[in-house]
Amino acid sequence: MAETADIVTRFAPSPTGFLHIGGVRTALFNWLFARHHGGRYLLRIEDTDRKRSTDEAIAAILDGLAWMGLDHDGEVVYQSSRAGRHAAVARGLLEAGRAYPCYASPEELAEMREQAKAEGRSMRYDGRWRDRDQAEAPAGVEPVVR
């Protein structure tokens, strides 16, 4: 087992909505585990979805955690503060051939989700852009890195 000083847990909510009971449960268990073992409990706000993340939701998350007494160690880390580093790593993965641009449309992804649901399995991207030529990319679809 790890030494107690090695225990580090974190809670990483996405501020695309308000703190909910599932997030509270995760925060509480991680906080309890860290405190029980003399470790550290970190808070990282997953705010990279700039279109849906709001300052109001971030404030509500921080207020809710404070109200419950779930104090974190160190400064709050905002994932967006490392966006440049994330982009550089993604470019490196693309250049090394260890990742690829995916142009699956939202409609195609919804279709994959529905098919998986109908078959009683978890949704899993089918890799349709793994070996395709980017010249086949549909107009207006911003690729994601896979």
Side-chain angles (χ1 to χ4, degrees):
M1 172 128 176
E3 294 293 320
T4 56
D6 294 336
I7 300 293
V8 178
T9 64
R10 64 146 172 85
F11 177 52
S14 177
T16 57
F18 296 98
L19 190 59
H20 57 81
I21 193 68
V24 170
R25 176 190 177 276
T26 300
L28 177 61
F29 285 163
N30 289 350
W31 183 87
L32 287 169
F33 188 80
R35 295 299 181 251
H36 176 76
H37 291 287
R40 296 184 308 138
Y41 167 73
L42 307 179
L43 179 60
R44 182 178 75 209
I45 303 292
E46 295 288 339
D47 63 341
T48 55
D49 185 344
R50 298 310 307 156
K51 292 177 185 170
R52 296 180 355 159
S53 296
T54 67
D55 291 338
E56 182 183 26
I58 291 170
I61 289 167
L62 296 175
D63 289 346
L65 293 172
W67 179 80
M68 290 182 293
L70 300 180
D71 57 318
H72 56 276
D73 298 305
E75 296 295 317
V76 175
V77 174
Y78 292 88
Q79 197 67 11
S80 63
S81 70
R82 299 198 30 102
R85 172 72 178 135
H86 298 167
V89 169
R91 281 191 300 277
L93 290 169
L94 287 166
E95 290 165 6
R98 299 179 61 89
Y100 60 93
C102 171
Y103 294 89
S105 69
E107 295 78 21
E108 289 175 295
L109 294 171
E111 183 181 301
M112 283 182 231
R113 245 181 245 100
E114 287 302 314
Q115 184 175 353
K117 185 177 178 181
E119 295 172 1
R121 58 180 174 79
S122 298
M123 194 291 209
R124 193 170 165 102
Y125 171 71
D126 64 9
R128 64 183 60 186
W129 279 95
R130 182 181 306 275
D131 298 313
R132 284 176 65 182
D133 186 343
Q134 289 184 45
E136 297 176 39
V141 176
E142 190 69 30
V144 298
V145 176
R146 294 196 184 267

